Amino acid sequence: MKHTLTALVLLMALTACGQDSGNKDMAGKSAEATSSSDAQTETGQAQQERGDQAFASLADKMIRQLWELFPSWAVREGYYAVADQLAVPDEQQRQRVLDFAREYKQQFADIDPTTLGPGERSDLAMVNTFLDRLIWEITEFKSYAWNPANYNVSHAFSLILNTDYAPLDERLRTFSQRLQKVPAYYEAARQSLDKPAAPQLELAIQQNKGALSVFGETLDEKIAASSLSAEEKQLLQERAAKAREAIEGYIAHLQEMKTDLEKTQDFRNFRIGEELYEEKFGYDIQIGMTAQELYQRALAEKDRLHEKMAELADRLWPKYFPDREAPEDRLEKIHAVLEKLSGQHATKETFKAEVEKQIPELVAFVKEKDLLTLDEDKPLVVRTTPPYMRGFSVASINAPGPYDKGANTYYNVMPIEEFSDEEAESFLREYNTYLMQILNIHEAIPGHYTQLVYANKSPSLIKSILANGAMIEGWAVYTERMMLEAGYGDFSPELWMMYYKWNLRTVINTILDYEIQVKGIDKERAMDLLVNQGFQQQAEAQGKWRRATLSQVQLTSYFAGYADILALREEMKEQLGEDFDLKEFHEKFLSYGNAPVPVIRELMLAELEGAGQG
C-alpha cells in the first residue's frame, strides 16, 4: 500500500481589473466587480484565519497529550514538564496510544483542509501521517514483540542528569521520581517480547549493558555534589540500585532467550518482507514513489557513479602509479586509486581530535562563500559515543529539541582507541583524511547540526517534532556535494574521488536495505555489494551489514532525500533564473523545519506564486 501526503493547494489571489473606459455602465460594473472581489477576498481570509486557529488549538491539545503518553520523547525534545514520568510499555500503554491516535484522527478529520493556509495544510498532512503510523506500528508492524532493543531507559535519564535545564537538586529529584517506574518498565518489556530477531537481541544486550553506566559513577558524583538532604540522597541511591537490578535482570533474560533460541534456531526473521517494507517506506520516507521505484533508481545511479569514478581514476592514475599500466576493468582501477588515497589517515589515538579540529575550518568556509547563516551561539560538543548508544553507527548527532534550543548539540564519535591495530587500520582507511572531511560536513557543518538548529527556529512545532528522516538525512547528503561545488577542497580530484565513493555509499545503502529486507540476500552477496562495488573497507562493510539487519527503510532516507532536494534546487533555479540565490534557497528550505521534501517544495512554490502575483 502506498501512502502519500495530502495534496497541498497553492494560494491563488483573487484580483479584478478595472477598465479605463468612457462607458459609465462598464465602469460601474467594473467597480461592482472589484468590490465583490474584495469582499470575497476578505471572506476567504477570515475563513482561513478561523480554520488556522481551530487547527492550531487542536494541534496544541494533541501535542500536550502526546508528551504525557511519551515522556521520554518529550525529554529528548527539551520538554521537561513530564520528565519525572516514565511510560511503562505494557499492553495498557499500547491501548492508550491506539485510543489517542484514533481519537485525534477523528477530530482532525473534521477540519477542512481548504480552509487552512498552506503551512497549516502541510502540518495537517504530517499529523495524519503520524497518527496513521502510530496505529500501523501497534496493529501491523508490532516491533514491540520482536525488537528488544526498543526497551532502554537510559537516554532520557542521561539528558535529565547532564542537561542544565534546571538546578542540579531539582533535576536529581526528577531523576529519583522517574526511577520508581524502571522495574515495572523492564518487567513490561519482558512480558511484551515474544520471539525476537537475532540482530535486535544482540543490540539490546549490548546497549542495555551500556545503560548501566548512566546509573553508576557519574550519578554518584552528581549526588555527592548536590544539596539534597541525607534522606533524599539515600532514597535516590536505593532507587538507582533497584533500576540497575532491573536492567541486569532484563539483560539476563535476553541472554537466556538467546541461548534457548540458538539451540533451536527459532529466531524471528529480521527481514520484514515486501508488504511491510513498502508500508514502512510510505510512512517514513514520503517522497511520492514506492520503495521498489527508488531501488531501481539507485541501481541506475550506482552505474553512473562508477562511470564518474572511472573518469577520475584515469586522471589520477599517472600521478599515483607512474610506472604501472591501468587495468582494463574499471572497478579494479577505481579500487586501486581509492586504496592509494586511503593510506592518508589519522591514528586511532588522534581520530576524535582530528574531527574536532576540522569544525572551525568548515565554519570559516561557509562564511567565506556565504552559503547560509550560521548561529555560532548554539554549542556543538564533540564527544565519544555514550555506551548505551553504541553498536549502530560510526558517528551521529544528538540535537536539543525546540523546547530547549540553547542546550548542547552532541557530535558522537565512535571510540576506536581500544581497537586492535588491524581493526583500527581498516576503520581509519575507510575514514581517511578525505572522507573525514565529508563525514564532518554531513554530521556537523553545514549538515545535521546546522539543519537541526534551523529546525528549532521553525514557527511550526509540528514540523520540528514530527521529523521526516529523508529530509534530515537528505539535507546532510546534499551539503556534501554543495560544499564541494562551492570550492571546498579547491576542486581537488582526490577529494572529489573520495566524495563519489561516499556518495556511492548513500546509493548502495538503498540497494542494500531493499535487497536484504525484500529480496532476502545473504551476507556474502551483501559484502560483495559493499566491498567490491562500493569500495568499502571490511570493517565498514561488516558494520553496514549489521546496521542493515537492525533497521528497515532508514538506510534509504539518505538517497531519497538527497535526490529530492537536488531536484528541488534545480527546479527553483529554472523558476527564478538570474534571481536565484543559493543562500536564500538554503535558508528558505531550512526554515520549514523537518518537513518532508515534497511538503517543503509545495510551500516554496506557493510562496513563489504569491510573490509573483503580489
Side-chain angles (χ1 to χ4, degrees):
M1 181 169 59
K2 179 179 177 183
H3 303 271
T4 57
L5 291 174
T6 304
L8 298 170
V9 182
L10 298 179
L11 289 174
M12 299 296 291
L14 297 171
T15 58
C17 299
Q19 299 182 19
D20 184 10
S21 169
N23 188 315
K24 292 183 180 179
D25 289 337
M26 290 298 294
K29 289 179 180 179
S30 176
E32 289 173 8
T34 301
S35 176
S36 174
S37 176
D38 289 343
Q40 290 175 20
T41 300
E42 289 175 6
T43 301
Q45 289 173 345
Q47 185 183 41
Q48 179 181 312
E49 287 176 5
R50 288 193 299 271
D52 289 350
Q53 288 172 0
F55 171 78
S57 177
L58 184 57
D60 181 64
K61 178 185 172 186
M62 183 199 75
I63 291 170
R64 281 186 277 110
Q65 192 172 342
L66 183 71
W67 299 146
E68 293 173 4
L69 275 176
F70 300 103
S72 294
W73 179 9
V75 170
R76 291 196 296 271
E77 298 292 343
Y79 184 81
Y80 303 111
V82 293
D84 61 346
Q85 301 173 36
L86 177 64
V88 174
D90 54 17
E91 186 59 36
Q92 290 74 25
Q93 169 70 1
R94 288 189 284 277
Q95 188 59 53
R96 283 191 290 270
V97 172
L98 271 178
D99 292 343
F100 163 87
R102 288 165 173 162
E103 177 186 344
Y104 277 102
K105 275 288 292 182
Q106 290 182 343
Q107 292 189 48
F108 280 108
D110 292 336
I111 294 179
D112 181 358
T114 64
T115 66
L116 302 177
E120 287 71 18
R121 265 199 308 281
S122 59
D123 278 359
L124 175 60
M126 290 181 69
V127 165
N128 280 322
T129 300
F130 166 69
L131 296 172
D132 285 338
R133 194 194 189 288
L134 277 182
I135 296 168
W136 174 82
E137 166 67 37
I138 294 173
T139 61
E140 301 293 334
F141 197 56
K142 301 180 180 179
S143 66
Y144 63 83
W146 56 265
N147 184 359
N150 283 348
Y151 306 110
N152 190 325
V153 298
S154 55
H155 192 188
F157 274 107
S158 179
L159 288 173
I160 293 167
L161 195 62
N162 298 304
T163 306
D164 294 329
Y165 69 88
L168 176 60
D169 288 2
E170 181 181 333
R171 288 185 284 121
L172 286 175
R173 291 186 182 103
T174 296
F175 196 98
S176 181
Q177 183 73 14
R178 202 170 201 270
L179 278 172
Q180 294 182 87
K181 291 284 188 71
V182 173
Y185 176 98
Y186 279 105
E187 179 57 31
R190 292 171 63 162
Q191 295 298 325
S192 297
L193 288 172
D194 180 16
K195 184 169 66 175
Q200 284 73 13
L201 184 55
E202 290 276 6
L203 182 66
I205 292 169
Q206 176 187 349
Q207 292 192 334
N208 275 281
K209 285 181 178 178
L212 290 168
S213 65
V214 177
F215 308 99
E217 185 178 338
T218 301
L219 175 60
D220 292 339
E221 290 172 356
K222 296 279 189 182
I223 293 173
S226 74
S227 300
L228 296 180
S229 68
E231 292 79 7
E232 286 178 310
K233 289 180 179 180
Q234 181 179 351
L235 181 60
L236 175 49
Q237 288 169 332
E238 289 173 356
R239 289 172 175 173
K242 290 180 180 178
R244 287 193 295 270
E245 183 180 340
I247 296 170
E248 289 167 348
Y250 183 60
I251 294 169
H253 176 68
L254 296 182
Q255 289 171 328
E256 185 179 345
M257 290 182 77
K258 182 174 179 248
T259 300
D260 292 341
L261 289 169
E262 282 176 340
K263 291 177 182 176
T264 60
Q265 286 299 302
D266 196 28
F267 293 100
R268 182 195 189 275
N269 189 351
F270 64 81
R271 297 172 174 87
I272 64 174
E274 184 173 10
E275 183 177 355
L276 283 176
Y277 191 91
E278 285 286 1
E279 289 174 355
K280 194 171 193 294
F281 183 89
Y283 287 122
D284 292 0
I285 303 301
Q286 301 175 33
I287 59 167
M289 68 172 64
T290 66
Q292 185 183 39
E293 288 168 340
L294 184 70
Y295 167 70
Q296 294 296 334
R297 186 174 179 181
L299 290 173
E301 182 67 5
K302 174 170 68 73
D303 291 339
R304 189 189 74 83
L305 288 173
H306 281 165
E307 288 182 13
K308 287 284 189 183
M309 295 176 79
E311 291 171 7
L312 279 172
D314 285 335
R315 284 181 58 191
L316 291 168
W317 191 270
K319 178 178 178 179
Y320 290 97
F321 303 98
D323 302 319
R324 179 177 157 192
E325 187 176 346
E328 292 185 9
D329 183 275
R330 71 176 185 178
L331 296 186
E332 184 181 344
K333 177 172 56 181
I334 293 166
H335 182 265
V337 173
L338 289 172
E339 281 295 296
K340 193 73 171 178
L341 298 178
S342 298
Q344 301 181 44
H345 58 69
T347 67
K348 61 182 180 180
E349 291 80 15
T350 63
F351 181 74
K352 178 171 170 285
E354 290 296 323
V355 168
E356 290 180 279
K357 178 182 173 183
Q358 202 200 356
I359 304 303
E361 298 172 6
L362 295 174
V363 171
F365 182 84
V366 170
K367 285 182 174 180
E368 176 194 347
K369 298 297 183 179
D370 201 26
L371 298 173
L372 75 169
T373 303
L374 299 176
D375 186 345
E376 296 183 65
D377 293 330
K378 304 301 181 185
L380 176 62
V381 179
V382 181
R383 69 175 180 181
T384 299
T385 306
Y388 59 85
M389 296 177 64
R390 294 176 193 170
F392 190 73
S393 60
V394 169
S396 63
I397 286 286
N398 281 126
Y403 294 98
D404 191 19
K405 302 174 185 179
N408 289 342
T409 295
Y410 292 103
Y411 182 176
N412 304 309
V413 179
M414 177 192 291
I416 62 170
E417 298 90 340
E418 297 179 4
F419 279 20
S420 70
D421 289 344
E422 183 180 356
E423 289 173 328
E425 180 64 15
S426 180
F427 175 91
L428 291 166
R429 287 184 70 83
E430 182 70 26
Y431 293 93
N432 54 67
T433 301
Y434 300 105
L435 275 193
M436 184 192 289
Q437 297 174 70
I438 308 297
L439 173 69
N440 288 333
I441 290 170
H442 179 104
E443 296 291 347
I445 309 291
H448 285 320
Y449 162 73
T450 302
Q451 183 265 320
L452 292 167
V453 169
Y454 270 84
N456 281 343
K457 296 177 180 178
S458 170
S460 167
L461 190 58
I462 292 292
K463 289 185 176 69
S464 290
I465 64 175
L466 302 186
N468 175 255
M471 180 272 174
I472 293 172
E473 294 297 352
W475 169 261
V477 175
Y478 163 78
T479 61
E480 301 156 13
R481 173 166 169 167
M482 180 270 291
M483 288 282 279
L484 267 65
E485 287 175 335
Y488 180 80
D490 296 324
F491 299 101
S492 156
E494 288 87 351
L495 185 57
W496 271 98
M497 184 71 166
M498 280 295 180
Y499 161 74
Y500 281 129
K501 173 187 170 177
W502 182 275
N503 192 237
L504 180 62
R505 180 190 297 193
T506 72
V507 174
I508 285 181
N509 279 350
T510 294
I511 298 170
L512 177 73
D513 200 61
Y514 190 84
E515 290 194 351
I516 288 176
Q517 296 293 333
V518 176
K519 293 180 172 292
I521 66 167
D522 59 14
K523 187 175 181 180
E524 183 179 359
R525 156 65 183 158
M527 294 299 285
D528 174 70
L529 178 65
L530 293 164
V531 175
N532 298 327
Q533 300 178 55
F535 314 107
Q536 296 177 23
Q537 298 291 325
Q538 282 290 330
E540 175 65 21
Q542 291 280 359
K544 189 55 63 69
W545 161 260
R546 182 173 192 240
R547 181 172 169 181
T549 64
L550 288 169
S551 65
Q552 317 84 24
V553 171
Q554 193 275 335
L555 282 171
T556 71
S557 61
Y558 302 86
F559 179 54
Y562 160 72
D564 260 15
I565 294 170
L566 202 59
L568 175 58
R569 186 183 73 177
E570 297 312 302
E571 182 179 6
M572 295 304 289
K573 278 184 179 180
E574 186 176 341
Q575 291 263 0
L576 291 167
E578 293 182 356
D579 292 332
F580 177 82
D581 182 275
L582 187 62
K583 180 181 181 180
E584 288 181 9
F585 169 77
H586 291 155
E587 295 186 349
K588 177 58 65 178
F589 179 86
L590 293 177
S591 72
Y592 296 111
N594 300 316
V597 180
V599 167
I600 295 176
R601 175 184 178 273
E602 293 296 338
L603 291 170
M604 291 181 75
L605 289 175
E607 189 165 333
L608 191 62
E609 179 77 12
Q613 291 181 356

